[in-house]
Amino acid sequence: MIRLEQVTKLYPHRKEPALKQVSLKIPPGQFVYLTGPSGAGKTTLLRLLYGAELPSHGRVVVGGADLSRLAPGKLPLLRRRLGLVFQDFRLLPGRSVFENVALSLEVAGVARRTIERRVGEVLEQVKLGDMANAPADTLSGGEQQRVALARALAPGPDLILADEPTGNLDPDNALAMMRLLVGDYVGGATVLVATHDPTLLSLVRGARLVHLERGRLEEVG
Ligand SMILES: Nc1ncnc2c1ncn2[C@@H]1O[C@H](COP(=O)(O)OP(=O)(O)OP(=O)(O)O)[C@@H](O)[C@H]1O
Ligand SMILES: [Mg+2]
């Protein structure tokens, strides 16, 4: 599903690479924590996986597509198979919860009736079924993050990339969020969660742990 081969990422005007010869294989359906201190390269690694950055050296393969060679026109197709969750939610403030979640399906050209059914379904999963019509910016942080997750899950992605998804949540909401990122909710998707919060790690038992330290990757367990 995911393969990084000897990936090095250099940013302009930086002496030290953000990633140094990183190799990583993640099979379909695996749950992986990506840990490491601030500046270690976690966000950079995720950005390479959704095509927001190109590697300076090495190969990035996601779902069979080599992202370092992908024609620019193919990127939107690939993105539809990805669900992205960020620390700062990134919801459209003036729009309702329903509209925020429906957006990813509308972009994909899904029929209106299917959209209505699917949005209802994922909002039930994240326990926001009765808030569908509320403007997204009137929700609490924990609720907004669940909308962001519903939006990521709605198209039934093969891969979910979450960058500090609990960074703005209190411990109770963080726990609720992590519970939604495992098990039946994600429908067998591969899940990669970047975090520098070690307390999160105990929340998903048996998860694979990979650690970045100044751009170098090590397997922890
Ligand atoms: N667009 C950019 N241009 C130049 N340097 C960058 C850019 N983005 C990241 N970096 C640098 O690359 C390194 C890794 O950054 P990255 O954001 O991947 O770390 P991180 O592990 O996600 O950190 P945090 O836990 O603080 O989010 C840092 O030294 C950072 O300053
Ligand atoms: Mg980061």
Side-chain angles (χ1 to χ4, degrees):
M1 171 83 225
I2 291 181
R3 209 165 74 237
L4 272 78
E5 293 171 5
Q6 295 284 316
V7 169
T8 294
K9 176 65 186 176
L10 286 152
Y11 285 112
H13 316 296
R14 291 295 172 104
K15 257 205 222 138
E16 283 293 303
L19 296 174
K20 298 171 189 162
Q21 297 183 306
V22 168
S23 293
L24 175 67
K25 260 189 202 169
I26 304 178
Q30 193 167 63
F31 184 101
V32 181
Y33 274 124
L34 175 64
T35 65
S38 184
K42 302 179 297 296
T43 295
T44 299
L45 196 152
L46 293 189
R47 288 175 61 78
L48 287 165
L49 291 176
Y50 60 91
E53 299 283 353
L54 284 172
S56 310
H57 303 284
R59 253 155 59 94
V60 177
V61 182
V62 176
D66 184 344
L67 291 191
S68 28
R69 286 155 191 253
L70 201 68
K74 286 265 171 67
L75 200 55
L77 259 178
L78 187 83
R79 289 248 176 103
R80 282 180 207 163
R81 293 164 52 200
L82 298 182
L84 302 177
V85 184
F86 303 97
Q87 173 172 359
D88 57 355
F89 321 141
R90 303 195 189 178
L91 301 177
L92 299 172
R95 305 284 191 86
S96 71
V97 166
F98 179 94
E99 287 170 323
N100 268 279
V101 178
L103 201 68
S104 55
L105 298 168
E106 282 162 5
V107 172
V110 175
R112 195 69 211 166
R113 282 175 75 174
T114 311
I115 291 180
E116 275 169 19
R117 181 179 47 76
R118 182 65 186 145
V119 174
E121 215 169 75
V122 285
L123 286 179
E124 284 300 323
Q125 281 181 343
V126 301
K127 301 195 169 57
L128 289 175
D130 50 358
M131 292 211 187
N133 296 319
D137 49 346
T138 63
L139 270 54
S140 74
E143 289 162 348
Q144 288 193 41
Q145 190 57 305
R146 280 185 280 147
V147 176
L149 181 64
R151 178 182 57 189
L153 293 179
D158 302 326
L159 171 62
I160 295 168
L161 301 174
D163 196 355
E164 308 278 359
T166 60
N168 282 321
L169 304 180
D170 61 38
D172 284 349
N173 277 309
L175 176 60
M177 188 67 198
M178 291 313 298
R179 288 211 173 113
L180 288 167
L181 280 166
V182 287
D184 297 342
Y185 301 105
V186 298
T190 309
V191 181
L192 181 55
V193 179
T195 180
H196 60 233
D197 177 4
T199 61
L200 264 194
L201 307 183
S202 58
L203 300 182
V204 179
R205 260 189 255 156
R208 179 176 169 195
L209 205 59
V210 291
H211 184 75
L212 273 170
E213 197 73 45
R214 292 207 243 148
R216 292 213 185 269
L217 190 85
E218 52 193 69
E219 195 86 34
V220 181

